[in-house]
Amino acid sequence: AYRMMLFCMAVPKVYFCKLFGLKIGPEDWPSQGLPSSYITDRGPGAALKLIEKFDDEFPIRELTLAYSGQSKATVESTNPRKRKIEGRPGYYKSKFTPIKLARKLISEFIKRNRTRWIESKIEAIPEMAFVSPDPLSFWNAYNARGRNDAQMMSVDDAVRTFLTPKKLSLKEDAVYLAGQRFNSDKFKATGIFQKLKRSTVNVMEINGYVLDLCVRHLWVELDGQLHQLDAQLKVGGDADDLYVSLSEREQFAEARAEMNSAFRQHQRAASA
């Protein structure tokens, strides 16, 4: 979750939302870039391997106690809240799939940036006299004045830095992850499939990256270049079914493996 958050910060938001099947304009969510330093609690975000990996990108400035909002009050005070709950957080059981929940929260976040009242943050200076007291207008006004310390990073670098590395299967027709086929016209044009057909192997292992919350797309490393591949339907169907999380994709692959094993027994029984 921490890595996906940082990936979201680093890339253009039009690009990020498109990964979830949402279409927005640059004016809906214009901010882009990483902080110059990183503040984390001692929960999952403070894992040693996470800190070591990101220290080269930007320094870790603070480590605070897990579940201790008072230790990072300037961050926690901006979070929406209804009532105070002490100790470890509780959880709600939702009827939403992970993708539908992500879409819902992204849409609510964009709405909140247009509607939240932040008059208390408006400085009494002429340039701010006619700025609407919402976070989006506030950010646009200060960004236009050069008050932006965001550290920029290319999409390719963000993919390599923050997304989850995965070993993928390259076959003669596509790249596969947990039984799902991925491809793109640009990737086909590399000639990799023709090379595989001429070789003595049928399947080749290839390095790639996935966004755990949504594997509608994945990224493949080939000859030092990153290719974004799209999930493809095997037969006619609803393309929206391709928007699933990595855990859902892996659970489905396990279920199909059990079904295929049972079907082999069924074949023998039916033949007998």
Side-chain angles (χ1 to χ4, degrees), residues 13-226:
K13 302 308 178 287
V14 172
Y15 175 81
F16 179 78
C17 290
K18 189 176 180 181
L19 298 177
F20 289 87
L22 292 176
K23 185 178 180 180
I24 68 169
E27 70 283 357
D28 294 320
W29 193 357
S31 62
Q32 180 187 353
L34 295 167
S36 56
S37 59
Y38 181 47
I39 301 174
T40 181
D41 59 27
R42 290 179 182 170
L48 183 61
K49 61 182 180 180
L50 190 70
I51 293 175
E52 289 176 345
K53 182 176 181 180
F54 295 159
D55 195 41
D56 293 336
E57 301 296 336
F58 50 99
I60 307 296
R61 193 176 70 188
E62 280 184 37
L63 288 177
T64 56
L65 294 173
Y67 314 119
S68 177
Q70 294 84 353
S71 299
K72 46 184 187 300
T74 56
V75 177
E76 297 292 347
S77 62
T78 62
N79 291 336
R81 57 194 182 277
K82 294 182 180 179
R83 57 181 177 271
K84 183 178 180 181
I85 301 176
E86 296 183 350
R88 293 175 63 86
Y91 300 91
Y92 290 100
K93 184 176 180 180
S94 174
K95 295 182 180 180
F96 286 103
T97 64
I99 300 302
K100 290 181 179 179
L101 184 59
R103 289 172 175 172
K104 178 176 183 289
L105 293 177
I106 290 171
S107 299
E108 288 180 352
F109 173 79
I110 293 174
K111 176 185 175 183
R112 184 166 174 255
N113 273 347
R114 289 185 177 275
T115 58
R116 188 182 174 209
W117 183 274
I118 59 166
E119 176 65 26
S120 61
K121 297 183 182 296
I122 303 295
E123 295 287 353
I125 55 178
E127 292 85 354
M128 301 297 290
F130 295 100
V131 173
S132 178
D134 62 84
L136 181 61
S137 300
F138 182 86
W139 187 91
N140 285 332
Y142 273 87
N143 184 62
R145 298 172 61 197
R147 297 286 297 276
N148 187 339
D149 193 31
Q151 310 299 305
M152 304 306 291
M153 176 183 284
S154 69
V155 171
D156 285 2
D157 286 343
V159 168
R160 292 185 178 103
T161 303
F162 301 122
L163 298 191
T164 303
K166 276 286 181 182
K167 295 294 184 182
L168 309 170
S169 298
L170 176 66
K171 300 183 180 180
E172 293 185 354
D173 61 334
V175 173
Y176 286 82
L177 170 66
Q180 178 61 51
R181 183 174 61 192
F182 294 82
N183 215 335
S184 73
D185 293 337
K186 184 179 178 181
F187 190 65
K188 292 177 184 177
T190 63
I192 185 65
F193 296 115
Q194 287 73 18
K195 292 179 182 178
L196 186 62
K197 289 178 181 178
R198 293 193 296 267
S199 69
T200 57
V201 296
N202 296 323
V203 181
M204 183 185 300
E205 194 175 74
I206 190 170
N207 294 322
Y209 303 89
V210 297
L211 179 67
D212 297 61
L213 191 56
C214 184
V215 287
R216 175 65 175 86
H217 310 275
L218 54 76
W219 294 260
V220 170
E221 195 86 53
L222 181 65
D223 298 330
Q225 187 175 0
L226 209 58

